[in-house]
Amino acid sequence: MRIKIIFKITKNELRNLFYSPVAWFLTIAFMVQCAVFFMKQFAPLAKWQELLLHKNAQFADFGASLTRNVFLNADGIFNNVMQNLYLFIPLLTMGLMSREINSGSIKLLYSSPVNVRQIVFGKFLAMMIYNLLLLMIVGVFIITGFVTIQHVDFGILLSAALGFYLLVCAYTAIGLFMSSLSTYQIVSAIGSFIIIFILSRIGGLWQKYDFVRDLTYFLSMSGRTIKMLNGLITTKDVFYFLVVVYMFVGFTLVKLQNDRSAKSWYIKASRYIVVFVVALTLGYISDRPFLTGYWDTSAQNVNTLHPNIQRLVKELGDDEPLEVTVYTNLLGKGLRNGLPQNRNNYLSSLWDRYLRFRPGIKFDYVYYYDRKPGDSSLFRQYPGKSLKEIAAQMADGYDTPFSMYEAPEQIHKTADLGFETDRVILRLKYKGKIIFLRTFDDAGFWPNDQQIAAALQRLLKADLPGVAYITGDLERSIYKTGEREYSMYTVNKTLRSSLVNQGFNCDTVLLDQQNISPNAAILVLADPKTALSNIALEKIKAYIHNGGNMFILGEPNKQELLNPLLEGLGVRLMPGTLVQPTRNDMPQMIRPYLCETAIYLADEPALRGLRVYPKEKNASKSVKILTPGAVGIAYTSDSGFTINPLLATVPGQAFNKAGLVVADSANPVFTPSEGDTRQMSYPVVVQLTRKVNNKEQRIVVCGDADFMSNLRQGGNFLGTAMYSWLDNNLYPIYTPYSAPLDTLLRVSLSTATILQIMYIWILPAIVLLLGTVLLIRRARQ
């Protein structure tokens, strides 16, 4: 019987709603808004696809998820519609209770056999049904995407639809409560705007204080639908919206019950407090990591840790906790990101996905002030002040209490940070073993999955891959910062792509005095300027004979320094210099193309992107790497190695110039009488493989050493891929997700134009006509 009464109230409320021009106007406005934002993304894609398919033979697809592009990016339909919901819902809910109170009909309801719960639940149920209508309008465009986008990522759309519906129901509960507070509908609407605004912004307030930070962060509505918009449904986000609905519907019940009660004010206030405390308790329980459930609805599971990282997290086991400590130096870089007010953003953006598989991670935070050993710049900047006085001034500038920062002598007792004090740094500790994770000066700041995976691997493994760089004959240095040197890509701790931040240990070896370490996974000989000694040469040959992996880089005019070593491998650096005369560049600026073998060296994202194209498209040949001053490589097929080119000159564009190439003169001319030679294509980088002791030996030989230099950023993605291949693809630990399939539309531009006219003009006009007829008939009655 009680349920029937609730349904009767619901039916009556829906009748009042649709006999009001406000509901029809907002429905039409919402429909037009959805159509505009949908077609804003959809129509240009249809236009470009038709243009590219007819004009560009190389076009295969857009190479990106069209589902995300149309529905979920910053200009997509869901983001914009959800950002504007606060404009619609308060106008719909402002009369739910205030209309009854203002007209006096609420007294009739109280005197009838209807209790307060039935009134509130009936009205809220009516609004939930209306919210389903809004969801159906969005659903029209979801179905359109399903029909028009090839292999649409339907799981993400359903997750986003759930987030939309939960958000609009939460706004409705807020509007219902505010409607019960005033007899004036406009006051109720303004109150709803204010509450929604507060809940959207409260997450950024009072974040410096631990208890308040956790409370306001939980209450904050901002960002609660972000995961759902990206295809990840979590129980804590769903429960958050349910708790918000419970809290404000509960407040409404308390308000109406208090109006009928003659109790003292503190008893009435305690009822609100009870509802609030129960809501917080439920929210706190549902927010615990070990109680949180996850459902990744995306087609590629992009919201879930990659299986390579899941394996590492699983290997950690549950017997020992993983401790993560953030050390924030008041006088270092990235201070703002490490302060308490950014703690929740740090946890959410960096560790949420890890807590899904390892809920017991312990987090700690240490704040201190110190200077980098040997750095006196602070004393020059603040003359006459001590380090403590400088730190106190900085703390005051950042509006933080100086007492929260440990002094240098204190931090030195508890943590040996060494030269890592110049920035925010993370310390990972597991079973007594410690690894540091660095932050970086780029937009991402925090380490990404690749750096975290490398750190976890190092916590688990006793032996770490070493890269040994031979020194003693003026080779390229991993410690110098000059243009031709190799420090940036190897030991530069501030660059996230450097080898030390990808899990490698980089060191040097002086072969005339030292032996090659047994932990050396890769031996590097980079452009020696003087001849190798017999001792060094014999040690290298023994290393190669035993199956060691090696990286050898040469330069023009120094072929004779490396050929005695290379000829034993069936490889030879050709005499002369490769030149490629062009209108704009110096002739020795060779741009060889990426051979097909190179795209399978490692799971570098740039290389994986080339694998999705059909072979006839020759996608890899369109990627060229600048090698400023290179020599061609000749090789034989009877050396015992399988040899394949990784980089080769574009057929017919380069020739081998004998003698000295003058860079600042006219372009060299091919002159056979002077010893110049020309062949169809010259290999510039080759890979060698063979089986030694049941293990594949891997060697890379480069005819240019400059493309791996500081000036060329370490060979960019190709440099990383070659090191990965030489390390048997153990490091870096790549986390490649499968390429999206929803990369093409199924419709032509003309069809998109018809859809645009239908959704923006025809359907809203039909709804307008229907609403007008209904309202006129109602007025006549």
Side-chain angles (χ1 to χ4, degrees), residues 256-268 271:
L256 297 179
Q257 288 171 347
N258 284 346
D259 288 346
R260 301 181 65 187
S261 172
K263 302 288 184 182
S264 59
W265 69 267
Y266 56 84
I267 293 179
K268 293 180 179 181
R271 292 171 178 172

Side-chain angles (χ1 to χ4, degrees), residues 120-389:
V120 173
F121 290 163
K123 288 180 174 291
F124 185 72
L125 180 59
M127 285 306 304
M128 287 183 66
I129 294 173
Y130 179 82
N131 294 342
L132 283 175
L133 173 63
L134 298 182
L135 182 62
M136 288 171 62
I137 294 173
V138 176
V140 170
F141 299 97
I142 291 177
I143 294 172
T144 302
F146 180 74
V147 174
T148 58
I149 298 176
Q150 180 176 300
H151 304 298
V152 68
D153 196 341
F154 204 59
I156 284 184
L157 296 181
L158 292 179
S159 173
L162 175 63
F164 168 83
Y165 187 69
L166 290 173
L167 181 65
V168 74
C169 285
Y171 284 176
T172 299
I174 294 170
L176 176 65
F177 172 60
M178 297 309 298
S179 178
S180 70
L181 295 180
S182 174
T183 58
Y184 299 100
Q185 294 188 20
I186 189 64
V187 174
S188 300
I190 294 173
S192 298
F193 286 131
I194 293 173
I195 294 297
I196 292 172
F197 177 80
I198 291 173
L199 287 179
S200 299
R201 297 291 185 270
I202 196 172
L205 301 178
W206 308 300
Q207 294 296 289
K208 292 185 289 186
Y209 312 104
D210 289 346
F211 173 75
V212 179
R213 178 178 58 251
D214 293 337
L215 178 61
T216 56
Y217 187 79
F218 167 74
L219 291 174
S220 174
M221 197 172 287
S222 177
R224 286 289 180 172
T225 57
I226 289 177
K227 290 187 179 70
M228 294 188 203
L229 289 181
N230 286 307
L232 181 64
I233 300 173
T234 67
T235 54
K236 66 180 180 181
D237 287 335
V238 173
F239 269 98
Y240 168 80
F241 287 108
L242 296 179
V243 166
V244 169
V245 169
Y246 157 79
M247 184 168 66
F248 283 98
V249 171
F251 285 166
T252 307
L253 290 170
V254 169
K255 170 64 173 61
L256 297 179
Q257 288 171 347
N258 284 346
D259 288 346
R260 301 181 65 187
S261 172
K263 302 288 184 182
S264 59
W265 69 267
Y266 56 84
I267 293 179
K268 293 180 179 181
S270 66
R271 292 171 178 172
Y272 286 106
I273 294 172
V274 168
V275 172
F276 184 69
V277 170
V278 171
L280 286 184
T281 302
L282 292 173
Y284 177 82
I285 294 172
S286 66
D287 202 42
R288 296 305 87 197
F290 58 89
L291 292 177
T292 303
Y294 299 83
W295 181 19
D296 190 349
T297 65
S298 63
Q300 287 78 36
N301 288 324
V302 295
N303 302 297
T304 304
L305 282 180
H306 190 274
N308 289 343
I309 303 181
Q310 290 185 42
R311 171 181 54 81
L312 294 173
V313 174
K314 186 176 181 181
E315 286 183 30
L316 289 174
D318 298 320
D319 53 334
E320 286 280 342
L322 173 64
E323 300 175 20
V324 181
T325 305
V326 180
Y327 287 90
T328 302
N329 186 358
L330 175 62
L331 306 178
K333 297 179 181 178
L335 171 65
R336 290 188 184 277
N337 293 289
L339 289 176
Q341 48 262 48
N342 289 309
R343 189 176 298 173
N344 284 319
N345 290 332
Y346 151 75
L347 291 171
S348 175
S349 62
L350 191 62
W351 294 108
D352 257 9
R353 293 179 305 140
Y354 292 83
L355 289 169
R356 174 180 175 181
F357 298 96
R358 176 83 180 197
I361 298 177
K362 294 183 177 180
F363 297 99
D364 196 9
Y365 308 88
V366 176
Y367 303 92
Y368 70 101
Y369 67 92
D370 198 3
R371 66 187 181 97
K372 192 174 181 179
D375 183 10
S376 59
S377 59
L378 281 171
F379 298 116
R380 293 195 299 270
Q381 189 175 355
Y382 298 90
K385 292 183 179 291
S386 66
L387 189 65
K388 184 176 182 179
E389 291 172 332

Side-chain angles (χ1 to χ4, degrees), residues 74 116 198 220 243 269 305 442 465 562 580 727:
V116 171
I198 291 173
S220 174
V243 166
L305 282 180
D442 54 28
L562 290 176
Q580 184 177 324
D727 187 41

